[in-house]
Amino acid sequence: MPERLSARDILALVCDASTFAELPHQEGKSAPDGPISWEGYDASRARAARRTGEEESVVCGTARVEGTPAVLIAFEFGFLGGSLGRRTGDRLERAYTHARAHRLPVVPLIATGGSRMQEGMLALTQLQRVARQSALTREAGLPQIAVLRDPTTGGGWATLGAGADITLALPGAQVGFAGSRVRPPDADPAAYTAEAQVAAGSADAVVRPEELRETLGLWLRLLTTPAAEAPPPSALGSTTLPATGWEAVLRARSPERPRAQAYLDACFTRRAALVGDRCGGADPDGMLCGFGERDGRTIAYAAQTGTNTRPAGYRTAARLIRLADRLGIPVLTLVDTPGAANDAEAEREGAGAAIADVFEAVAAARTAVTTLVIGEGGSGGALALAAPGNTWATPDSYFSVIAPELAAAILKRPPEETEATADQLRIRPQDLVELGLIRGIVDPRP
């Protein structure tokens, strides 16, 4: 079991020295033994207060994290298991209201077993209050970054944790909707861990305690310092244009041609990855999403890696684009896929709906979206990421309604006519410019 830090300890771990200022409390006296007269509740609260030095299960205040101001909400698990009661809801509502009034991001540092039994349904309905405050903060264009401590279960996970824009977790933390005492007896405990939630696309990263302040500070800085635009990167590969359509295909498929990682490394000084579709899936090998720092400002990115993109990859890209749009951060997409994954498993995972989700996210975006085709542009699986009217291409790329081999097959042509079909499709970068489908071909980096 990982070490369980108190609320004050976790605040000291992440906040810049001497910057934490606790928000004032406004709780009045409650009825004897709480709102449903649970016998012994007052005594339990008094013992929890003596043991922890806290009056409730959350400590809320403002601080700087690596220089960026934020509202922090730290749960005290030693106070009745960090459970949510009516007074907890009061404190959370005040914290979120303060964040919106002062235009500050919100950082919940969660360690909770769920809702407080001794307050019955009144405790459970605090989750609705939390969800409302989170939604209002989202509408205000302010980021929410959750840190999952041990344990993060029940409604605390299903609202403050899973509902955050970015979700970080401490190693080995117990994370799941079902707490350890209410799971099926044969449930695999490994499924209820921070590591499992990252693998399932429900959290973005596991962060060691000694790296938490720096990581959290990077995320806060990235999500609060948007760039004005996302200019297309310079080309990293070939400097000459292909003579034929088939040559364009071969160059785009060459293993020596620079891939997404090379472009992201060249474009950004620092970056942080957004992982998973929040629907139980991730495509870390096919779609790279996150936020990067360029000239001190932030650009979001969604980059295909040259493989067949899976449904989870498209859903992750849609999540990234919508978050960037809400925060006013411009988006760079890198197109490079022979096409969307089309195996039976991809169909079961909802390939069509996932691709439609990206088309809709790009079409609805109010923030600037820029696209660079860096390799293969294979059909709708590539077009979904392309910004209408603001797509560029490198000299070693192509974009086609479908791969030339498949086009020839659909047209019932023999394999030897594949190269001629590639020419007829007009898929070279210069063809795309002439047809008005892309804005231009980017020059190599000087």
Side-chain angles (χ1 to χ4, degrees):
M1 180 182 295
E3 179 185 4
R4 285 179 175 169
L5 299 175
S6 70
R8 304 288 172 171
D9 287 340
I10 192 67
L11 287 168
L13 186 68
V14 303
C15 297
D16 296 350
S18 303
T19 63
F20 182 74
E22 191 167 353
L23 293 174
H25 308 148
Q26 299 176 2
E27 292 102 359
K29 287 189 175 181
S30 63
D33 282 330
I36 62 171
S37 301
W38 184 285
E39 186 177 353
Y41 182 32
D42 283 346
S44 295
R45 284 193 292 194
R47 288 193 298 270
R50 287 194 299 271
R51 185 169 56 251
T52 64
E54 306 295 347
E55 297 175 353
E56 247 307 328
S57 59
V58 291
V59 177
C60 305
T62 60
R64 289 183 176 272
V65 182
E66 293 281 295
T68 303
V71 167
L72 291 99
I73 299 167
F75 278 73
E76 175 53 70
F77 188 74
F79 193 101
L80 301 180
S83 56
L84 281 78
R86 189 161 58 180
R87 285 185 173 181
T88 320
D90 291 341
R91 292 193 176 194
L92 293 172
E93 185 171 282
R94 282 196 295 275
Y96 273 96
T97 300
H98 184 89
R100 292 194 299 275
H102 296 273
R103 302 296 301 167
L104 296 174
V106 180
V107 181
L109 306 163
I110 310 169
T112 176
S115 300
R116 194 167 296 173
M117 302 297 100
Q118 297 93 329
E119 295 188 18
M121 275 299 296
L122 287 170
L124 190 64
T125 58
Q126 301 309 305
L127 301 180
Q128 294 172 319
R129 293 180 72 185
V130 172
R132 174 63 176 164
Q133 292 304 312
S134 178
L136 291 172
T137 304
R138 187 174 294 111
E139 288 176 5
L142 298 170
Q144 300 171 67
I145 306 172
V147 176
L148 313 179
R149 298 152 57 206
D150 184 58
T152 298
T153 60
W157 164 232
T159 52
L160 290 164
D165 299 316
I166 303 298
T167 306
L168 310 175
L170 296 180
Q174 179 189 171
V175 180
F177 185 64
S180 59
R181 297 182 183 181
V182 297
R183 299 171 194 154
D186 59 347
D188 179 8
Y192 301 85
T193 63
E195 290 77 6
Q197 298 294 351
V198 172
S202 296
D204 293 292
V206 173
V207 183
R208 293 186 298 177
E210 61 269 25
E211 298 173 349
L212 185 57
R213 181 184 298 178
E214 181 182 1
T215 302
L216 187 54
L218 173 62
W219 271 113
L220 285 168
R221 187 167 66 254
L222 287 172
L223 297 186
T224 56
T225 55
E229 59 179 348
S234 301
L236 299 180
S238 177
T239 61
T240 61
L241 293 173
T244 67
W246 188 243
E247 182 186 344
V249 172
L250 295 179
R251 284 166 55 166
R253 293 176 181 175
S254 169
E256 283 74 40
R257 191 251 311 156
R259 263 45 181 193
Q261 281 283 8
Y263 278 92
L264 295 176
D265 288 343
C267 192
F268 300 117
T269 51
R270 297 190 71 184
R271 61 183 191 267
L274 180 147
V275 177
D277 62 5
R278 296 300 186 262
C279 300
D283 185 19
D285 297 325
M287 184 75 77
L288 304 177
C289 293
F291 294 82
E293 193 172 65
R294 184 174 187 178
D295 299 326
R297 292 288 171 173
T298 303
I299 296 171
Y301 62 85
Q304 292 172 314
T305 64
T307 65
N308 296 101
T309 309
R310 302 206 62 80
Y314 289 113
R315 284 191 289 264
T316 304
R319 174 193 162 206
L320 177 282
I321 294 165
R322 290 192 176 104
L323 173 58
D325 187 47
R326 181 157 46 81
L327 300 178
I329 299 172
V331 179
L332 170 67
T333 63
L334 301 180
V335 167
D336 186 10
T337 180
N342 59 5
D343 53 77
E345 188 60 29
E347 292 298 334
R348 284 190 286 267
E349 293 170 355
I355 296 169
D357 201 26
V358 180
F359 270 117
E360 193 276 337
V362 172
R366 295 158 298 180
T367 195
V369 181
T370 303
T371 299
L372 179 63
V373 185
I374 63 171
E376 293 195 78
S379 195
L383 187 66
L385 277 179
N390 198 24
T391 293
W392 304 73
T394 64
D396 45 9
S397 68
Y398 77 89
F399 218 142
S400 179
V401 62
I402 196 169
E405 300 95 325
L406 299 178
I410 291 171
L411 296 172
K412 298 181 180 180
R413 295 178 175 180
E416 54 268 25
E417 293 188 25
T418 296
E419 295 185 21
T421 301
D423 283 333
Q424 284 183 285
L425 287 168
R426 300 198 66 191
I427 60 179
R428 299 174 304 168
Q430 60 266 45
D431 294 326
L432 301 173
V433 171
E434 185 178 335
L435 291 168
L437 299 174
I438 64 173
R439 287 186 63 179
I441 302 166
V442 294
D443 294 325
R445 185 171 57 179

